[in-house]
Amino acid sequence: MITPIRIRVRNIRSIADAEIRIPETGITALFGAVGSGKSTFLSAMVWALYGEVPGGLKQADMRRTGADGESCEAEVEFSFNGQTFTALRGLRQRTTRGAVREEAYARWWALGASGAGQDERQISPTKLNQKITELTGLTGRAYCGAFFIAQGQLTDLAEGTPAQVQQLFEEQTGLGLLTKEVERRNAEARQAEELAASMPGSREDTDAARQALDAAQDEAVRAHEEHTDADARAQESAARLRDAEAGAAAVEKRHRAAEEKRITRARLGERIRHHEQRQTALEAQVNGVDIEALGVLGQRLTALRAAASSAELALGKLQVARSRAEEAKARAREAQTQMEAVADPDLDRLIAEAQDRRTTHEQQRAVLQGEYMRLNRAVEALTTSDAACCPTCVQPLRDVRALVTHLSDQRVLCVTEGKNAKAKAEAAAQLHDALVRRHQQQDQAHARLEAVQAEAATAAEHVEAVRLAADPAVAAAAGLLPGPVPTDPEQVLAQCRTVIDQLGEDVSHARQMRGLRTELADTETALAAARAELAGLTTASEPSSNELGAATAALATARANHSAAVTASADANTRFQVTSERAGVLGKAHEEATTRMRAKAERLHEAHILHTAAALLTQFRRALLAEYTAAVSQAATDVLTQITDRHTRFEIDQDFAPRVHTAEGTVRPTRVLSGGEKATAALAFRLGITEQITGGTATGMIIADEITAAHDADTRRAVLTCLAELGWPALVVSHGEEITEAAQHVITLAQPDESTGTVISAAA
């Protein structure tokens, strides 16, 4: 198993930079006064290997107060199956958007025979956890359960209630997870039963719904047959109606044909008289009119309109170009004024100074926050304990009240200074933002000035180009005017418009005359066509009144019969639709009843499965518990008989009341033993759990943190003597002098100060 050889700590809790080397045999004592950082080495070792921070703290709490920006690392060198490995885990600080956060990193390498690193590489903290677990076969919880004896654990094993002993036993052996799983399965089974009981549905409801559905379906079948018969009769009456309609239509067609020919003959006579009158009137209007000059007038009007339009368009463009040039000049003057208003040559220097002040105050605030958290934890630990004692080792302190007062004053000072730093940082940030905005305004004003100046120059060039293009168009329009021509372009356009209006009136009159001549030709053509059509009309045969009456009576009778058949078919179809819809509703009701019954059956089946699973897990837990307690009892007995001949056996079963068998044949609970006997039995019990977790294949190094702090001097000596007699390698943390007598190796830690932290004062 894992045997630590070297632990190095940099800027973790009270230790600035210290390293201890641990012999692989015998008991090594980590000795020092209260608060000297002994437990920090153990916490750093567990954190480096598995990333777990004892005491429910966060990784960021590992950093030593005042070590911001420095390396914060724990490095552990250990041996496993004859090979040496090194694991390193650390924290580096990152600043994101003004906030400082801790980021974890890790390294891993194996050591060769020469002591140099092999296969050294930086990996993620999660990969390091997986690497250690794959190598040793133990998770962080299993490793601590097997080899780490925490403060007060031996007392809980020897003197605790059965419930306390059971909780500790299951936590160490991993049975607690199985117990929680059994409780969860039982709760799920009860919930499934309660849900099934509250759900509707039964076999009787399903059968009743099925019977109602069958009756409705039979009724729907009968209604469908009635509808089929009625629909056949309606189709027969429809055929007879179509025959009657065809006969009546033929008679009506003959009647309409004769009537239409009479009307057509009368209309053609009227059209001929109208065309003759129109022909006479048009001939009187167009006689003596000459319209040959229409082409010349039209060409002259078209040319003058085109020239005037071109000239007007060119002058309009010239006016627009001049207006835009004036606007560009005005914008250039405005941009020059704005540029002069915001210009400041010292702006970049002021921005840099404001940013430096902001960064300085934010860093000062972060340092004060870390110091406040450290002081707050210390005050809470001292003020919430039941007695005036150290919260770490339960040893008495001389003046707790003075220490609390001193720490509280420092905490208040941190709050005051933190608020001042925050206010200064916020003020610097506001000044920096205002200066940046002013710098942006200056850049924008400069860019706008250059843009509008370029725009004004371009507009002036465009005015001249447009003027040069407009002159030919005005000259062309002036060349088409009769008589003297004015020199002003606007007057040229006005005279063009006058001439165009006059020519337009002449062309309109000529076109009107041409239209009359065309209309005269069309009238003569229409008159000839009407006379030809009248000559071609023939006389059509017309049905008698008796034929018309008979056809009408036959059609009325067929319609009445068909209407009655359609009504009967519609009534039958309505009955069929109603019965079909009722059958559909009852079918859905039957499906819902069946679904409810099945859902309830599924919930009951699920509850049965969950109960069965819970029973199997309970049986499996009971078997494991019997196996584990028997294995722990045997392993603890082996340990106990190695260190004493007063007790022949240690026993723990499912009642979780640990007891020992004496050499006299009596059985005594551990809670009634003397102090030394109780400590011996508890140590054997705890090491028995270690052998059960590891399978008894290897012992590894026992890590014991203040396991004797709560005992008297005689009991402390008895525990250390038992541990020494076992011959197992162990690293024992203590501030009692007895540890120096029982240990083969002693590492002494000095009380830390604010600047240097814990240091190794002696190692022997």
Side-chain angles (χ1 to χ4, degrees):
M1 290 298 169
I2 294 178
T3 301
I5 300 173
R6 178 177 60 86
I7 304 175
R8 183 175 182 183
V9 178
R10 287 186 286 272
N11 290 318
I12 294 180
R13 293 187 178 173
S14 61
I15 301 177
D17 191 351
E19 177 180 293
I20 62 173
R21 292 188 174 272
I22 308 166
E24 296 187 45
T25 60
I27 295 179
T28 301
L30 198 56
F31 175 72
V34 175
S36 60
K38 304 181 297 299
S39 297
T40 299
F41 277 100
L42 304 187
S43 301
M45 181 185 72
V46 176
W47 180 57
L49 292 176
Y50 290 101
E52 296 188 1
V53 182
L57 301 177
K58 300 179 180 178
Q59 282 196 127
D61 297 326
M62 298 292 286
R63 180 177 293 276
R64 185 173 72 93
T65 302
D68 291 335
E70 302 180 17
S71 62
C72 174
E73 295 179 340
E75 180 180 337
V76 178
E77 181 182 340
F78 65 92
S79 65
F80 182 81
N81 291 343
Q83 189 174 1
T84 303
F85 303 91
T86 301
L88 180 146
R89 194 182 301 264
L91 297 175
R92 63 171 64 93
Q93 291 181 328
R94 302 281 192 187
T95 302
T96 305
R97 296 180 181 178
V100 180
R101 62 182 181 86
E102 299 284 0
E103 181 181 272
Y105 61 91
R107 291 174 59 200
W108 163 264
W109 65 93
L111 296 180
S114 63
Q118 297 178 349
D119 192 27
E120 179 177 354
R121 60 183 182 272
Q122 183 158 338
I123 59 178
S124 68
T126 302
K127 291 290 185 182
L128 178 59
N129 297 350
Q130 297 174 355
K131 194 80 173 177
I132 299 294
T133 302
E134 292 172 358
L135 177 69
T136 63
L138 295 177
T139 63
R141 175 175 293 183
Y143 172 75
C144 292
F147 299 106
F148 195 96
I149 305 177
Q151 297 184 28
Q153 196 176 93
L154 295 183
T155 302
D156 293 340
L157 289 174
E159 301 178 0
T161 64
Q164 293 173 331
V165 175
Q166 178 182 0
Q167 180 180 0
L168 184 58
F169 184 88
E170 291 190 351
E171 287 178 356
Q172 299 295 326
T173 60
L175 281 175
L177 298 176
L178 184 57
T179 300
K180 292 180 180 178
E181 182 65 17
V182 171
E183 294 174 352
R184 186 178 69 83
R185 292 298 178 89
N186 281 323
E188 289 178 351
R190 289 192 298 271
Q191 291 177 357
E193 286 180 341
E194 293 173 357
L195 179 59
S198 63
M199 293 175 64
S202 65
R203 172 61 66 182
E204 292 77 9
D205 294 342
T206 305
D207 293 341
R210 179 73 251 182
Q211 293 174 0
L213 174 61
D214 292 342
Q217 288 177 341
D218 293 340
E219 185 178 355
V221 169
R222 291 193 297 272
H224 182 265
E225 293 174 352
E226 293 177 0
H227 171 258
T228 301
D229 295 340
D231 188 59
R233 290 191 294 272
Q235 291 178 1
E236 293 175 358
S237 65
R240 290 193 294 270
L241 176 60
R242 286 194 295 271
D243 293 340
E245 287 176 344
V251 175
E252 181 65 22
K253 183 178 181 180
R254 288 166 54 200
H255 175 70
R256 283 199 304 272
E259 185 65 25
E260 287 175 357
K261 286 186 176 182
R262 285 196 300 271
I263 295 173
T264 300
R265 188 175 288 105
R267 287 176 177 174
L268 286 174
E270 184 64 26
R271 281 169 57 192
I272 290 171
R273 287 191 296 274
H274 172 72
H275 289 325
E276 289 174 345
Q277 293 174 358
R278 183 60 179 165
Q279 180 181 16
T280 302
L282 290 174
E283 287 175 349
Q285 290 181 6
V286 300
N287 283 336
V289 176
D290 183 12
I291 59 174
E292 296 300 330
L294 176 62
V296 177
L297 292 175
Q299 293 175 358
R300 183 181 175 190
L301 176 61
T302 301
L304 186 57
R305 281 178 175 173
S309 177
S310 299
E312 187 175 5
L313 179 62
L315 291 177
K317 290 181 179 179
L318 179 61
Q319 182 63 30
V320 171
R322 287 172 177 171
S323 176
R324 289 179 178 176
E326 292 299 325
E327 292 176 355
K329 290 179 181 179
R331 287 195 296 272
R333 290 192 296 272
E334 181 184 356
Q336 181 66 36
T337 302
Q338 292 178 352
M339 180 63 190
E340 293 173 355
V342 299
D344 187 350
D346 296 332
L347 198 56
D348 291 334
R349 178 181 58 79
L350 295 175
I351 291 175
E353 291 177 355
Q355 179 63 31
D356 292 342
R357 288 197 297 273
R358 176 185 180 182
T359 303
T360 300
H361 293 313
E362 287 179 345
Q363 292 176 349
Q364 182 181 5
R365 182 188 175 196
V367 170
L368 291 169
Q369 286 178 339
E371 181 65 14
Y372 175 81
M373 292 175 63
R374 185 184 72 82
L375 294 171
N376 194 56
R377 287 195 299 270
V379 170
E380 290 181 353
L382 292 171
T383 55
T384 57
S385 59
D386 295 335
C389 57
C390 176
T392 302
C393 62
V394 201
Q395 290 297 308
L397 297 174
R398 293 181 178 178
D399 191 352
V400 176
R401 181 176 300 175
L403 179 59
V404 170
T405 302
H406 177 65
L407 294 177
S408 299
D409 293 341
Q410 290 183 341
R411 184 174 63 181
V412 172
L413 182 59
C414 284
V415 172
T416 303
E417 293 180 352
K419 291 180 178 179
N420 293 335
K422 178 182 179 182
K424 292 178 180 179
E426 292 176 349
Q430 293 176 356
L431 176 59
H432 175 266
D433 294 342
L435 292 173
V436 168
R437 288 193 297 271
R438 185 175 177 184
H439 192 280
Q440 293 174 348
Q441 293 174 355
Q442 180 175 304
D443 292 343
Q444 293 172 355
H446 185 266
R448 184 171 182 272
L449 176 60
E450 292 180 348
V452 297
Q453 286 176 344
E455 182 182 354
T458 302
E461 295 174 355
H462 183 63
V463 168
E464 183 62 21
V466 172
R467 187 189 65 77
L468 293 176
D471 290 344
V474 174
L480 296 175
L481 294 174
V485 180
T487 58
D488 183 65
E490 294 295 335
Q491 293 178 358
V492 170
L493 286 179
Q495 188 170 346
C496 284
R497 295 189 189 98
T498 302
V499 174
I500 287 171
D501 292 340
Q502 183 178 355
L503 288 176
E505 292 177 358
D506 295 342
V507 170
S508 177
H509 182 263
R511 286 177 177 171
Q512 184 179 5
M513 293 298 102
R514 173 176 286 182
L516 290 176
R517 293 191 65 177
T518 301
E519 185 179 353
L520 175 59
D522 293 340
T523 301
E524 292 173 347
T525 302
L527 177 59
R531 287 172 177 170
E533 185 179 355
L534 179 60
L537 283 177
T538 60
T539 304
S541 62
E542 184 175 0
S544 64
S545 59
N546 292 333
E547 288 180 310
L548 288 173
T552 302
L555 179 60
T557 302
R559 284 177 176 172
N561 293 336
H562 178 64
S563 177
V566 169
T567 301
S569 177
D571 293 341
N573 183 57
T574 301
R575 289 193 296 273
F576 170 66
Q577 295 295 336
V578 170
T579 55
S580 297
E581 185 175 351
R582 183 167 177 270
V585 171
L586 292 175
K588 291 181 180 179
H590 176 260
E591 291 177 0
E592 292 174 357
T594 303
T595 301
R596 290 193 295 269
M597 183 186 69
R598 289 176 179 172
K600 188 169 187 176
E602 289 175 358
R603 291 294 178 272
L604 290 173
H605 181 63
E606 180 182 349
H608 174 71
I609 292 175
L610 291 172
H611 273 306
T612 302
L616 291 175
L617 288 175
T618 301
Q619 183 178 357
F620 178 61
R621 176 184 174 279
R622 190 178 298 111
L624 284 181
L625 191 58
E627 179 183 345
Y628 285 4
T629 53
V632 170
S633 297
Q634 183 59 47
T637 298
D638 294 341
V639 173
L640 188 63
T641 55
Q642 289 182 44
I643 57 180
T644 181
D645 56 359
R646 299 178 61 185
H647 302 141
T648 61
R649 183 181 178 188
F650 178 89
E651 188 176 44
I652 180 74
D653 56 20
Q654 298 186 31
D655 62 0
F656 293 100
R659 47 194 174 273
V660 295
H661 293 248
T662 66
E664 293 80 13
T666 61
V667 179
R668 302 182 63 195
T670 57
R671 66 177 181 273
V672 301
L673 299 177
S674 64
E677 292 177 328
K678 188 182 300 181
T680 301
L683 182 60
F685 187 8
R686 182 61 183 79
L687 296 179
I689 294 176
T690 296
E691 289 205 9
Q692 193 279 329
I693 295 175
T694 61
T697 57
T699 58
M701 178 174 284
I702 300 300
I703 311 297
D705 185 11
E706 298 286 4
I707 60 174
T708 63
H711 300 297
D712 55 27
D714 292 338
T715 304
R716 290 198 294 269
R717 289 189 179 88
V719 172
L720 296 174
T721 300
C722 293
L723 195 58
E725 290 176 355
L726 288 173
W728 290 8
L731 176 62
V732 182
V733 172
S734 178
H735 57 256
E737 294 290 343
E738 299 82 2
I739 189 64
T740 60
E741 302 172 2
Q744 286 79 27
H745 315 281
V746 178
I747 301 172
T748 305
L749 305 183
Q751 187 75 20
D753 57 36
E754 292 292 335
S755 59
T756 63
T758 298
V759 295
I760 309 298
S761 62

